Amino acid sequence: MKIAESWLREWVNPDLETEALGHHLTMLGHEVDGIEYDGSGLADVVVAEVAEVSKHPDADKLSLCKVNDGGSEFIDVVCGAPNVVKGMKTPFARPGVKLPNGMKLRKAKIRGIVSSGMLCSAVELGLGDESDGIMSLSQDEVAGSALSSVLNLPDAVIDLDLTPNRGDCFSVLGIARDVAALTGATMKDPAVAAVPATIDDTQSVELPEPEGCPRFAGRVIRGFDPAANSPVWLTERLRRAGLRSISPVVDITNYVMLELGQPLHAYDRSRLQGPIRPRMAKSGEKVTLLDEKEVVLNDDTMIITDDTGPIGIAGMMGGLSTAVTNSTTEVFFEAAFWPQDFMAGRARSYGMHTDASMRFERGVDPAGQGRAIERASELLLEIAGGDAGPLLDLVVEKHLPVRADISLRKSRLTRLLGVDIDNVEVDAILTGLTMKVIAVDGGWTVSPPSHRFDIEIEQDLMEEVARIHGYDSIPEATAFSQSPLESVTESKVDSELVAATLIARDYQEVITYSFIDADANRVFTGTDSKLVLSNPISSEMSVMRASLWPGMVAAAATNNARQQDRVRLFEMSKSFHGELGDHSEVVRIGGLATGPSQPEQWGLSAESVDFFDIKADVEALLILACPLDGIGFQAVEHPALQPGQAAEIVRDGEVIGVVGKLHPRIAKTYDLKRAVFLFELDAEKTLNSSAPTASAISKFPAIRRDIAVIVDDRISADELVNAVAETSPELIQGVRIFDIYKGQGIEAGRKSVAIGLILQETSRTLTDDDADSVLAVAVKKLEDQFAAELRD
């Protein structure tokens, strides 16, 4: 939220420079994102009166003006603004003046006529981004006066990053309360004098569902001048707060919202038909809003209706059918209280985010509606005239929020803050925050004000005391505690080692959302999730994920769309399974690889990653916890993986994960052009380890024997390796497949597999007869088990 320093100081004026004020606001918990000085460099710009206006003889769009800048003679100025008229007061820059945009003015001939200065627009003065012509000032201003004095410039604009729990501070009044409590400076009385009624006109209002609208204030004002303009002081304050001036009625509602924190809405009363009735929408009802968009309403939304139906969405935006126009002469101001429970998340469900909805979601003072109407009425009568009807303030007390009393214990306060704050100071701090404080034995009983929705428990009061006392005033204390050594276990591989291993293999860690689209969850797991969120952020985040893959594939697609062809991602996080009443959470290690297998370089040909590349990455993880001879890969059908390129990962007979190629159908959905390979492991089952055991290294030489067998193409390498290793486990130290061949000389549906056997004994040197005997047994088993043929 942006707030002008001059506006804040009108409410409370502490003896602090601008930078010091910004520091104190940050220490109060209202972080200052930045301070900009608005209106610098305008010291030489003055107020001028346009005394005469005539057409330029050689240009239809130019005017010749006689300007009174407070001097003894009129000044000739050529002006191109369409809104220049005789008698208007406007900013004027004489020759030699340097404007904020860097332009230095000088006398110049424009279409043959000398112009001695310039009548300025807001854009040229750095006081706005849009301009329909030169800036119009109040007729009360004196020609020759410094513009900076008239507009109270330069002025610091403080940009505050307010926390969601402090809904009361989304206003000048709210910030002023905290500044006054911190500095002890006197604050302006927030009460607004009642506007006397000069007419009896009222607008009928009914509250059929008071739990959703327990308070509704309003007033009819008619007979005001629709051609009136908002005064410069008001439009300037709106501009410095980041809002554009529209018309007096709209400007006033925005001004009161910024000043008092209560959003208002103005209806063209001549367009209202029958009583106003706030109620819950009926599913399928429609309303056209002020932005001319038609919205189909949900049945969990409070709306405002009259006899014609919906005329606005409560706390978000008014309807077009009753909108104030340039010809409106009779309005009904509305200030309602919409409870947070009825507002939370509603604007997001329509893809909206308005200043009003943001305030109502965070909490608006339920006692401030009448005050806001009085302030708006006061301003409209002052600016545009007219007559005011009596104030309407309907209240259903039982549905208004009640601030319960809270006990604050002195001993607890001292123990939690680590400093003994004097009782008198505690009482003064809480009283300064407009709380009612009663001293009792051992502490205080505190009644929070109606605007402090965030004060509910004892710790909230302690935070308030610490905030105003000053966090930097609480002395630092060194704590002493025993720090026993953590037990070190070899039964589980540390997750940091897993991350380091994958990073070393060129992966990058990602963190994706735990809640995903229900359709994506079904595509990747083959089942519908029963863990459905009751209030999702959006429909794309409606269920808890049962796999890490949907988020990782979406991340890969985003990277590919940004011309990142080589992507390696991993994530260690939870997946969620079961039902709402009985669910389980499993920590998983997921990985994704797509694009070239190696970074581009001149020494390697560009080859895409394949199944065996990602299988090698998986094995690099598995070997951290166990020998690879206990690991197996078995073909499997998986809903997210391409048939023939998917395998379960088995450890000691138990499935611990899956690896394979993303199904082309899914890849097409995510617009992934290259093949994508994935793996996912159960972290607990994968990382369980046993203490390593030592074994003697044989001092006798090893013998290698190679064979090549022709087998059916469906037989896996694992099956062949395991079969050979089992024939003579006491002599065979290793089995390696070093070549697989299909093609000429090998009949279709079969393949040639070359297998190397490493033979070694710990007590003697093996002979050729030993090796030949082992080899014969191995070949025989392959023939018997797989109908293998020994290849010459």
Side-chain angles (χ1 to χ4, degrees):
M1 184 184 80
K2 291 184 177 181
I3 181 172
E5 181 184 11
S6 59
W7 197 357
L8 178 61
R9 289 190 183 276
E10 184 180 288
W11 279 84
V12 59
N13 190 14
D15 186 16
L16 296 170
E17 297 295 329
T18 302
E19 296 295 331
L21 176 60
H23 172 74
H24 279 73
L25 286 169
T26 296
M27 296 307 293
L28 278 167
H30 311 313
E31 183 179 357
V32 175
D33 280 346
I35 300 176
E36 296 181 0
Y37 291 89
D38 190 61
S40 299
L42 300 179
D44 297 324
V45 180
V46 299
V47 176
E49 180 180 4
V50 180
E52 297 179 13
V53 178
S54 61
K55 287 291 183 182
H56 193 292
D58 297 325
D60 293 337
K61 294 184 178 181
L62 297 179
S63 301
L64 303 180
C65 304
K66 296 286 186 180
V67 174
N68 172 19
D69 70 343
S72 57
E73 298 181 357
F74 288 168
I75 299 172
D76 293 325
V77 177
V78 178
C79 179
N83 65 326
V84 62
V85 294
K86 179 180 178 180
M88 77 180 297
K89 300 285 180 69
T90 186
F92 174 64
R94 303 181 178 100
V97 171
K98 187 174 183 180
L99 296 178
N101 61 8
M103 178 192 298
K104 188 171 183 179
L105 299 180
R106 57 183 178 82
K107 284 187 178 182
K109 276 190 176 183
I110 302 177
R111 293 290 182 95
I113 295 179
V114 175
S115 180
S116 300
M118 184 170 73
L119 302 177
C120 302
S121 69
V123 172
E124 291 160 336
L125 297 175
L127 301 179
D129 297 325
E130 301 178 7
S131 175
D132 296 327
I134 58 177
M135 191 173 179
S136 179
L137 302 175
S138 169
Q139 288 298 310
D140 296 335
E141 307 301 341
V142 178
S145 302
L147 180 68
S148 56
S149 299
V150 171
L151 299 183
N152 194 19
L153 296 171
D155 192 7
V157 178
I158 304 172
D159 190 358
L160 298 173
D161 186 7
L162 300 173
T163 54
N165 65 314
R166 291 303 304 273
D168 62 301
C169 285
F170 283 84
S171 64
V172 179
L173 171 59
I175 297 297
R177 287 193 190 105
D178 269 12
V179 172
L182 178 68
T183 63
T186 302
M187 193 183 89
K188 173 183 174 181
D189 186 357
V192 178
V195 173
T198 55
I199 56 175
D200 295 330
D201 294 41
T202 59
Q203 169 63 41
S204 177
V205 177
E206 300 172 2
L207 301 180
E209 300 181 31
E211 63 275 11
C213 180
R215 187 163 204 158
F216 193 104
R219 169 178 275 141
V220 173
I221 298 180
R222 64 175 173 82
F224 62 87
D225 181 7
N229 294 316
S230 298
V232 174
W233 66 265
L234 189 149
T235 60
E236 272 294 289
R237 285 188 173 175
L238 292 178
R239 181 187 65 79
R240 294 172 204 179
L243 297 180
R244 182 171 58 90
S245 174
I246 298 175
S247 68
V249 172
V250 177
D251 291 349
I252 286 168
T253 60
N254 286 332
Y255 183 87
V256 173
M257 177 184 69
L258 292 173
E259 184 176 56
L260 303 179
Q262 170 65 49
L264 288 88
H265 185 66
Y267 301 90
D268 185 329
R269 187 167 177 251
S270 65
R271 296 184 172 193
L272 290 171
Q273 299 186 31
I276 288 178
R277 302 181 187 91
R279 62 166 172 82
M280 297 298 290
K282 299 172 184 176
S283 184
E285 283 187 300
K286 298 179 180 180
V287 62
T288 301
L289 300 176
L290 291 173
D291 58 5
E292 300 184 2
K293 292 181 180 178
E294 185 179 68
V295 174
V296 179
L297 298 167
N298 303 324
D299 58 8
D300 64 348
T301 305
M302 284 294 296
I303 60 171
I304 303 166
T305 69
D306 64 4
D307 286 348
T308 66
I311 57 173
I313 304 180
M316 297 183 210
M317 190 179 292
L320 187 62
S321 63
T322 57
V324 173
T325 66
N326 293 333
S327 60
T328 299
T329 59
E330 183 178 8
V331 298
F332 177 65
F333 278 129
E334 166 238 300
F337 173 69
W338 311 106
Q340 289 172 280
D341 290 346
F342 286 82
M343 293 302 300
R346 302 304 193 277
R348 288 195 298 277
S349 68
Y350 295 101
M352 297 168 59
H353 179 77
T354 65
D355 288 332
S357 69
M358 180 266 293
R359 285 169 170 80
F360 281 118
E361 286 179 352
R362 286 156 175 76
V364 168
D365 185 358
Q369 286 67 44
R371 175 179 59 194
I373 293 296
E374 297 287 9
R375 180 63 169 144
S377 304
E378 175 186 59
L379 290 171
L380 184 57
L381 295 176
E382 175 186 327
I383 294 168
D387 294 296
L391 175 69
L392 170 74
D393 192 4
L394 298 181
V395 184
V396 182
E397 292 285 350
K398 68 177 182 178
H399 291 296
L400 288 177
V402 177
R403 305 264 78 82
D405 290 348
I406 305 169
S407 295
L408 175 60
R409 296 164 288 174
K410 176 63 183 292
S411 59
R412 179 66 173 160
L413 177 67
T414 301
R415 185 154 64 93
L416 188 66
L417 299 186
V419 61
D420 186 6
I421 301 176
D422 187 76
N423 288 8
V424 174
E425 182 181 353
V426 174
D427 192 291
I429 287 173
L430 297 176
T431 302
L433 291 168
T434 66
M435 302 185 193
K436 294 180 181 179
V437 183
I438 300 174
V440 296
D441 289 342
W444 302 266
T445 297
V446 182
S447 299
S450 58
H451 58 268
R452 289 302 299 270
F453 284 80
D454 59 314
I455 305 296
E456 295 181 339
I457 59 176
E458 185 180 28
Q459 286 79 0
D460 295 332
L461 295 175
M462 295 176 187
E463 181 182 4
E464 293 302 292
V465 172
R467 220 168 44 89
I468 305 302
H469 177 74
Y471 295 117
D472 52 351
S473 298
I474 298 175
E476 181 179 347
T478 302
F480 295 94
S481 64
Q482 293 183 347
S483 299
L485 294 175
E486 293 184 0
S487 59
V488 178
T489 178
E490 295 184 350
S491 63
K492 190 169 185 178
V493 177
D494 188 77
S495 60
E496 291 186 4
L497 180 56
V498 173
T501 301
L502 288 170
I503 290 170
R505 300 182 74 86
D506 224 7
Y507 283 75
Q508 292 180 312
E509 186 170 12
V510 295
I511 300 174
T512 61
Y513 285 107
S514 295
F515 22 90
I516 62 174
D517 178 54
D519 292 336
N521 190 79
R522 184 186 313 110
V523 166
F524 280 90
T525 65
T527 59
D528 289 317
S529 174
K530 296 183 179 179
L531 300 176
V532 181
L533 302 180
S534 59
N535 187 23
I537 296 175
S538 68
S539 60
E540 289 78 22
M541 294 182 171
S542 59
V543 302
M544 302 302 293
R545 66 183 178 194
S547 170
L548 306 186
W549 287 349
M552 298 178 69
V553 171
T558 301
N559 277 272
N560 277 177
R562 286 158 178 77
Q563 300 178 333
Q564 301 299 314
D565 291 336
R566 187 172 186 271
V567 179
R568 302 288 186 280
L569 305 175
F570 80 92
E571 181 173 7
M572 288 187 288
S573 191
K574 291 180 179 179
S575 61
F576 304 85
H577 312 272
E579 301 181 0
L580 291 175
D582 182 23
H583 80 283
S584 61
E585 302 177 9
V586 180
V587 177
R588 297 189 182 278
I589 305 167
L592 176 149
T594 184
S597 60
Q598 297 292 332
E600 184 178 3
Q601 58 165 301
W602 64 269
L604 289 175
S605 60
E607 294 185 3
S608 295
V609 66
D610 61 19
F611 180 89
F612 297 101
D613 290 321
I614 199 164
K615 179 173 179 262
D617 295 333
V618 172
E619 289 178 339
L621 294 182
L622 298 173
I623 203 170
L624 298 173
C626 64
L628 290 182
D629 56 13
I631 299 297
F633 293 83
Q634 300 176 353
V636 70
E637 291 186 3
H638 190 283
L641 302 178
Q642 180 175 329
Q645 295 208 48
E648 286 182 335
I649 305 167
V650 180
R651 177 180 177 182
D652 298 331
E654 182 180 18
V655 176
I656 63 171
V658 64
V659 62
K661 179 183 177 183
L662 181 65
H663 200 290
R665 169 177 44 81
I666 302 176
K668 184 178 180 180
T669 302
Y670 285 86
D671 198 25
L672 289 162
K673 304 295 190 298
R674 291 178 176 268
V676 178
F677 292 87
L678 304 159
F679 70 83
E680 191 170 62
L681 301 167
D682 184 312
E684 182 177 356
K685 296 176 181 178
T686 300
L687 303 182
N688 284 341
S689 179
S690 57
T693 57
S695 59
I697 298 176
S698 177
K699 62 182 179 179
F700 300 100
I703 299 176
R704 173 168 174 148
R705 289 288 188 269
D706 295 340
I707 57 172
V709 294
I710 299 173
V711 295
D712 191 281
D713 195 25
R714 292 172 297 178
I715 297 172
S716 69
D718 267 357
E719 291 177 298
L720 296 175
V721 169
N722 292 336
V724 171
E726 290 170 357
T727 57
S728 301
E730 70 283 355
L731 296 182
I732 298 177
Q733 301 300 315
V735 181
R736 301 169 186 169
I737 292 179
F738 61 90
D739 184 51
I740 297 177
Y741 172 74
K742 300 177 186 177
Q744 187 175 359
I746 305 297
E747 64 181 283
R750 294 175 71 79
K751 61 186 175 182
S752 171
V753 181
I755 305 172
L757 286 70
I758 310 300
L759 311 175
Q760 192 176 36
E761 236 279 3
T762 58
S763 61
R764 63 186 178 90
T765 300
L766 295 178
T767 66
D768 287 340
D769 290 339
D770 294 327
D772 292 342
S773 176
V774 171
L775 204 60
V777 174
V779 171
K780 182 68 167 61
K781 182 165 186 178
L782 293 175
E783 292 174 344
D784 294 343
Q785 189 168 339
F786 303 110
E789 299 176 10
L790 192 62
R791 186 181 176 193
D792 295 334

